[in-house]
Amino acid sequence: MQDAVRLLLLIDGAAEPVDDPPPPAAPFGAVAVLRTQVLLQKLDFWLRNPDYFANMLLDRFEASGDAALLDHAERILTSEEPEIRRHPMLRYRFGAYEPLDAALSVLAGPGLVFRRREGTPGRTRQHNYYLTEHGREVAREIVAEEPALGYYVERVALLVAVTAGQGGTELKDEQYRQQEYAGTAYNARIGAITGRVRQRLAAIREAGAA
């Protein structure tokens, strides 16, 4: 159930509006779609691993000079978030991966999110994840009932903002630039980088103060 709620809030925050008229594959009531399993898995990795996300924010800061990105990273790294929010993922053939079937079944049952395959018979090109109007309503309701879940809403909004314009393959390649990630054996959990990223933040702050 925890995975289902996180995925619902991730898809709600990251999906793009469905075309008008909707494509034939879209389920009844669909209002938004997140395209490709690779994109979903890579966004979910950063959502589940705040230390890697903070490191990505530091990369973006060093590339752009945007102090707000440095501040976001510092808020993560000077808290216990990397420890208490971390939910490791497996490394598979295309990077971070976690089976989604169970969580998606929980969401599909009441008509919140549906996965649709795109391609030709016998050859799936990609999976798309459709959020329904009911799914969007439920996402709002559960956050209103459990305000602590607003953490995911805010984090997804920031995640979407800093990865705007990038597809799943680009995000996968970015994650692979971390040695700990790339060096993880297949079907093993990807280890934390919290200590290293905290040291990196300290060095950036020290250099800025010099």
Side-chain angles (χ1 to χ4, degrees), residues 58 61-62 65-78 197-210:
L58 294 180
F61 162 71
E62 291 187 330
D66 185 347
L69 299 174
L70 180 59
D71 291 341
H72 283 304
E74 186 167 40
R75 279 194 290 273
I76 294 170
L77 295 168
T78 57
V197 184
R198 282 177 171 149
Q199 290 175 358
R200 182 185 179 189
L201 171 67
I204 291 172
R205 284 300 192 191
E206 184 177 349

Side-chain angles (χ1 to χ4, degrees), residues 100-121:
L100 302 176
D101 290 350
L104 290 172
S105 293
V106 171
L107 298 175
L112 310 182
V113 172
F114 294 97
R115 176 174 55 190
R116 292 288 186 264
R117 292 174 174 83
E118 183 176 298
T120 57

Side-chain angles (χ1 to χ4, degrees), residues 38-167:
V38 174
L39 178 58
L40 179 60
Q41 296 274 7
K42 302 319 157 202
L43 293 176
D44 196 30
F45 174 79
W46 273 314
L47 190 58
R48 293 166 54 149
N49 292 272
D51 53 347
Y52 281 87
F53 181 59
N55 192 64
M56 183 260 277
L57 291 173
L58 294 180
D59 289 341
R60 298 287 202 277
F61 162 71
E62 291 187 330
S64 69
D66 185 347
L69 299 174
L70 180 59
D71 291 341
H72 283 304
E74 186 167 40
R75 279 194 290 273
I76 294 170
L77 295 168
T78 57
S79 72
E80 295 181 342
E81 184 180 332
E83 288 80 19
I84 64 176
R85 295 283 189 181
R86 184 168 180 268
H87 188 181
M89 292 179 72
L90 296 169
R91 184 196 168 202
Y92 199 51
R93 291 181 300 168
F94 305 108
Y97 170 82
E98 197 71 18
L100 302 176
D101 290 350
L104 290 172
S105 293
V106 171
L107 298 175
L112 310 182
V113 172
F114 294 97
R115 176 174 55 190
R116 292 288 186 264
R117 292 174 174 83
E118 183 176 298
T120 57
R123 184 178 179 84
T124 299
R125 185 166 64 86
Q126 68 182 43
H127 291 104
N128 296 325
Y129 303 86
Y130 286 93
L131 176 74
T132 65
E133 179 64 35
H134 182 45
R136 178 149 285 169
E137 292 171 355
V138 169
R140 303 294 187 270
E141 290 171 1
I142 61 176
V143 173
E145 293 171 1
E146 297 289 343
L149 293 174
Y151 164 85
Y152 290 112
V153 176
E154 294 174 3
R155 179 54 49 82
V156 169
L158 178 58
L159 180 54
V160 169
V162 298
T163 60
Q166 292 182 276

Side-chain angles (χ1 to χ4, degrees), residues 35-36 38-40 42 166-174:
R35 302 181 191 281
T36 83
V38 174
L39 178 58
L40 179 60
K42 302 319 157 202
Q166 292 182 276
T169 300
E170 292 174 287
L171 300 183
K172 178 197 70 172
D173 292 345
E174 183 171 356

